[in-house]
């Protein structure tokens, strides 16, 4: 896509524009840095096809390129189709929709001539989105929210800081209606505008890292520290509750084996509250045995699960089962409701019970309305070993191709030092000790690559290292985590500038070691019963704010 044209300042008067486009164009031209960037050959205006309007070129002589984000291959193909040595590329309200923003930004920047400009606009989180977290109020395709700081952080992560200078970073809020409610669509300017100028690498760029201490561990290319992840802005207030405990309701809706393992917990509750009326809710198949224990004043049958789990799921939906249970306990009130099932699928039921206290297992603090939570790991879920493969089909790349269940890297592009070759799969990892096997096969000579591990859309770096791709065996590395990791990301990186060797990538095989988490489920239920008795001997209420 060659460029031509006399070096003159663009105008916005020659073609009628929509209010939003015209306002953005005037804002850009009002800043000397961007006005200089736009003076010269026509700019490449890259925007979303869904937002495209034939009557809305940003400037009369701009060349419009439209992409279907989040269709990443299409987006990268549009950028790859541009000629090199461009004078100015505008990414107009687009990178918030592109999953691999690093590769997309690096590709666009690579098309610029030295002295060229990359202009990026994105919707402002507190002008357009006006939300603290995704999803967007208005566009399902928005994957991330931006402030000036987070936008600049992504630029610093994607591009070599020695190859560009920031000429403008500004909020565009011209004519923005700050008095409008959150339910109304924002009017007026609502973007962040960033302008970068590409510069030649200084002569000391290559030597800059030679002073650094050498380490056997590969370090991430990211030049900034990951942002601090603040804890949820919530806390519990404890206040006295001196009312007597007269009525308890206990849920044990599991099958016969789990019901039998709850016997110690049943006896602990009866011993702790000898004068209280205790109601048990259990499956109909356990009702007679529950009555024969003579530990409960009333036994109610409720089949939340089918008696034979192998016969298939219940004919009723989860929502219908919850509604039926709510009808079953409607009009009754209790001093405490206790769910003895380890798994969380029945936890929603005690939320519908009118009770001053609610007790249950909550290892991840997911149920803030539990006033007596027991934060034990679940032995049958969190302690078991597991293995699997994160398939190559779940990974993204901007230079390779997907062939069936593999990624093939045949063409040998000239790569910069420490550039991402592939990333993914953005899955969840449970706590544990992992051994990863990188299923990479060189198609020519053996070579080495770097890798890094991240979470939460690369906002949190977890580790890094180096692997050797060779024909006789797959490289391995280990990773330990004591917490649940959301959107786990593995990236393969180039180590040095130069041609990328051809290779095939089949995915990431993992093995998670089994661990002894401390208690058997029989003991866990007994501990919950003891905790309820301990807490209710000197009762208090808990409110989460």
């Amino acid at each position: 896509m060659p460029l031509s044209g006399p070096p003159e300042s663009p105008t916005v008067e020659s073609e009628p524009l929509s209010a939003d486009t015209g306002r953005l164009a005037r804002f850009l031209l009002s800043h000397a840095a961007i006005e200089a960037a736009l003076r010269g050959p026509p700019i490449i205006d890259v925007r979303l096809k869904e937002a495209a309007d034939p009557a809305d070129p940003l400037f009369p002589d701009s060349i419009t390129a439209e992409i279907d984000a989040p269709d990443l291959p299409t987006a990268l193909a549009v950028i790859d189709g541009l000629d090199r040595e461009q004078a100015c590329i505008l990414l107009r309200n687009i990178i918030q929709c592109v999953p691999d923003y690093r590769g997309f930004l690096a590709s666009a920047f690579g098309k610029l001539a030295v002295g060229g400009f990359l202009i990026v606009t994105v919707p402002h989180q507190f002008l357009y989105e006006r939300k603290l977290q995704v999803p967007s109020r208005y566009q399902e395709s928005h994957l991330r929210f931006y402030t000036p700081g987070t936008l600049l952080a992504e630029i610093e992560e994607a591009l070599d800081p020695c190859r560009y200078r920031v000429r403008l970073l500004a909020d565009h809020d011209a004519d923005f209606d700050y008095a409008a409610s959150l339910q109304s669509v924002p009017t007026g300017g609502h973007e962040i505008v960033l302008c970068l100028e590409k510069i030649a690498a200084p002569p000391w760029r290559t030597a800059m890292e030679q002073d650094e201490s050498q380490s056997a561990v590969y370090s991430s290319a990211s030049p900034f520290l990951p942002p601090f992840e603040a804890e949820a802005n919530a806390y519990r207030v404890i206040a006295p509750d001196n009312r007597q405990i007269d009525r308890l309701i206990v849920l044990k809706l599991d099958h016969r084996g789990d019901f039998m393992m709850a016997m110690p917990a049943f006896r602990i509750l009866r011993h702790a509250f000898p004068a209280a009326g205790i109601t048990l809710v259990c499956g109909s198949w356990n009702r007679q045995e529950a009555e024969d224990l003579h530990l409960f004043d009333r036994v109610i049958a409720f089949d939340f699960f089918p008696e034979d789990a192998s016969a298939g799921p219940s004919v009723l939906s989860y929502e219908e089962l919850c509604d039926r249970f709510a009808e079953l306990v409607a009009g009754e009130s209790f001093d405490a409701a206790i769910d003895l099932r380890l798994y969380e699928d029945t936890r929603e039921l005690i939320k519908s019970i009118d009770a001053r206290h609610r007790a249950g297992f909550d290892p991840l603090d997911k149920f803030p309305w539990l006033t007596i939570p027991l934060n034990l790991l679940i032995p049958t879920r969190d302690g078991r070993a597991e293995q699997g493969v994160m398939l190559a089909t779940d990974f993204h790349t901007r230079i390779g191709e997907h062939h069936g269940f593999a990624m093939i890297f045949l063409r040998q592009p000239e790569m910069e030092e420490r550039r991402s070759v592939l990333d993914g799969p953005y899955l969840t990892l449970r706590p544990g000790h992992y051994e990863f096997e990188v299923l990479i096969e060189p198609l020519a000579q053996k070579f080495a690559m770097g890798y890094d591990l991240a979470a939460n859309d690369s906002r949190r770096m977890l580790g890094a290292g180096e692997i050797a791709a060779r024909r006789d065996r797959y490289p391995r590395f280990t990773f330990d985590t004591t917490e649940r990791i959301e959107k786990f990301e593995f990236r393969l990186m180039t180590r040095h500038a130069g041609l990328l060797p051809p290779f095939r990538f089949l995915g990431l095989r993992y093995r998670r070691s089994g661990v002894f988490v401390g208690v058997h489920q029989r003991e866990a239920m007994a501990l919950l019963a003891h905790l309820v008795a301990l807490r209710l001997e000197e009762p208090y209420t808990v409110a989460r704010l």
Side-chain angles (χ1 to χ4, degrees):
M1 193 178 290
L3 298 178
S4 62
E8 58 183 21
S9 298
T11 62
V12 295
E13 288 78 12
S14 55
E15 294 287 343
L17 300 178
S18 68
D20 286 343
T21 305
R23 187 182 295 111
L24 177 60
R26 286 189 292 273
F27 182 82
L28 294 176
L29 293 175
S30 68
H31 291 81
I34 293 186
E35 196 273 339
L38 301 178
R39 188 187 304 120
I43 71 169
I44 304 297
D45 179 10
V46 185
R47 61 180 181 176
L48 292 178
K49 183 174 292 185
E50 64 189 43
D53 182 344
D56 265 12
L58 192 62
F59 301 108
D61 58 351
S62 60
I63 299 173
T64 299
E66 298 172 357
I67 71 169
D68 287 317
D71 184 354
L72 184 59
T74 301
L76 292 175
V78 169
I79 298 299
D80 290 342
L82 298 176
D83 290 342
R84 289 187 175 272
E85 303 299 310
Q86 298 287 353
C88 183
I89 298 176
L90 168 63
L91 304 180
R92 179 153 50 121
N93 292 347
I94 194 170
I95 67 168
Q96 74 276 5
C97 303
V98 178
D100 181 16
Y101 57 86
R102 292 182 294 260
F104 187 73
L105 287 168
S107 294
F109 189 76
K111 296 295 182 178
L112 292 174
V114 172
F117 293 87
L118 179 67
I119 302 174
V120 180
T121 70
V122 289
H124 197 300
Q125 179 176 358
F126 299 108
L127 294 177
Y128 180 75
E129 307 289 0
R130 295 181 295 171
K131 282 191 68 182
L132 296 178
Q133 296 179 346
V134 290
S136 170
R137 298 180 191 275
Y138 313 108
Q139 299 292 335
E140 292 183 359
S141 60
H142 288 193
L143 305 178
R144 297 175 298 281
F145 291 168
Y146 285 100
T147 64
T150 57
L151 175 59
L152 188 57
E154 288 193 0
I155 293 292
E156 292 178 343
E157 182 182 2
L159 306 178
D160 183 347
C162 293
R163 297 299 307 274
Y164 69 85
R165 295 278 69 87
V166 177
R167 299 306 181 198
L168 178 70
L169 178 60
D171 289 341
H172 167 37
D173 64 344
D175 303 324
F176 183 80
D177 184 5
Y178 283 94
S181 69
L182 292 179
Q183 287 68 42
S184 61
V185 178
T187 59
H190 48 255
E191 291 98 354
I192 303 166
V193 177
L194 174 66
C195 178
L196 306 177
E197 181 180 0
K198 186 172 184 177
I199 64 172
W204 40 261
R205 173 64 184 90
T206 304
M208 185 175 64
E209 297 177 0
Q210 294 179 358
D211 318 328
E212 304 295 329
S213 58
Q214 298 300 311
S215 171
V217 179
Y218 173 80
S219 60
S220 167
S222 176
F224 63 93
L225 293 174
F228 174 71
E229 294 186 358
E231 296 181 355
N233 185 21
Y235 55 92
R236 289 185 170 92
V237 175
I238 301 174
D241 178 9
N242 297 320
R243 285 174 287 179
Q244 186 173 336
I245 304 299
D246 295 321
R247 301 191 69 201
L248 301 176
I249 183 169
V250 180
L251 275 61
K252 191 55 181 167
L253 299 171
D254 304 78
H255 297 90
R256 286 186 173 86
D258 293 321
F259 183 84
M260 292 175 63
M261 283 188 282
M263 298 296 182
F266 294 155
R267 295 189 179 94
I268 291 167
L269 290 173
R270 174 47 75 191
H271 178 75
F273 305 100
I278 303 180
T279 296
L280 174 71
V281 184
C282 63
S284 58
W285 50 87
N286 288 323
R287 181 171 186 171
Q288 186 59 53
E289 186 172 0
E291 291 175 344
D292 292 343
L293 293 173
H294 303 294
L295 296 174
F296 308 104
D297 299 276
R298 180 174 56 154
V299 177
I300 299 175
F302 181 75
D303 294 345
F304 188 80
F305 305 103
E307 180 178 4
D308 182 1
S310 64
S314 170
V315 296
L316 298 178
S317 68
Y318 179 81
E319 291 74 16
E320 290 172 325
L321 289 167
C322 290
D323 290 342
R324 288 199 175 190
F325 182 82
E327 294 173 2
L328 182 68
V329 297
E332 295 196 68
S333 60
F334 298 88
D335 297 301
I338 307 159
D339 184 8
L340 288 176
R341 178 168 169 80
L342 270 70
Y343 294 97
E344 62 191 41
D345 43 9
T346 59
R347 212 70 76 243
E348 193 70 21
L349 298 182
I350 63 171
K351 190 177 180 181
S352 63
I353 298 175
D354 180 10
R356 289 187 292 119
H357 302 280
R358 297 184 178 92
F361 295 96
D362 189 13
L364 299 177
D365 200 25
K366 295 172 60 176
F367 308 107
W369 38 267
L370 288 178
T371 56
I372 307 177
L374 185 56
N375 303 113
L376 284 179
L377 294 176
I378 298 174
T380 55
R381 181 186 68 187
D382 299 293
R384 70 171 183 264
E386 61 178 323
Q387 63 180 1
V389 176
M390 301 174 183
L391 296 175
T393 52
D394 295 325
F395 287 76
H396 308 284
T397 178
R398 63 187 179 90
I399 58 175
E401 296 181 356
H402 283 89
H403 288 273
F405 291 100
M407 275 184 185
I408 306 295
F409 297 80
L410 288 177
R411 63 188 182 96
Q412 295 181 274
E414 187 77 22
M415 298 291 292
E416 296 181 17
E417 181 181 4
R418 295 179 182 175
R419 281 289 149 224
S420 173
V421 175
L422 60 87
D423 60 272
Y426 307 103
L427 300 177
T428 298
L429 287 188
R430 293 206 300 272
H433 171 77
Y434 288 84
E435 181 183 36
F436 287 103
E437 193 173 15
V438 185
L439 307 181
I440 184 172
E441 300 173 351
L443 300 179
Q445 74 281 7
K446 64 180 181 180
F447 62 96
M449 296 195 75
Y451 72 85
D452 63 20
L453 309 175
N456 300 331
D457 294 324
S458 299
R459 292 192 297 270
R460 179 183 176 193
M461 299 304 298
L462 302 173
E466 188 176 292
I467 60 170
R470 47 193 298 175
R471 292 179 180 273
D472 55 344
R473 64 175 179 268
Y474 294 130
R476 298 180 180 182
F477 64 91
T478 59
F479 174 68
D480 293 276
T481 175
T482 58
E483 58 183 317
R484 183 184 180 92
I485 297 176
E486 302 292 344
K487 295 185 178 180
F488 170 78
E489 179 182 4
F490 169 81
R491 288 196 297 176
L492 273 181
M493 316 282 290
T494 59
R495 293 178 63 229
H496 306 292
L499 294 178
L500 180 69
F503 68 93
R504 175 168 45 226
F505 177 73
L506 300 170
L508 201 64
R509 182 182 291 137
Y510 67 91
R511 300 178 184 87
R512 176 176 176 266
S513 302
V515 294
F516 179 66
V517 297
V519 296
H520 186 270
Q521 59 175 319
R522 176 173 178 162
E523 298 169 321
M525 289 184 283
L527 287 173
L528 179 59
H530 276 301
L531 181 62
V532 169
L534 181 64
R535 293 283 178 88
L536 296 185
E537 283 180 1
E538 298 180 8
Y540 57 80
T541 58
V542 177
R544 186 180 176 97
L545 302 178

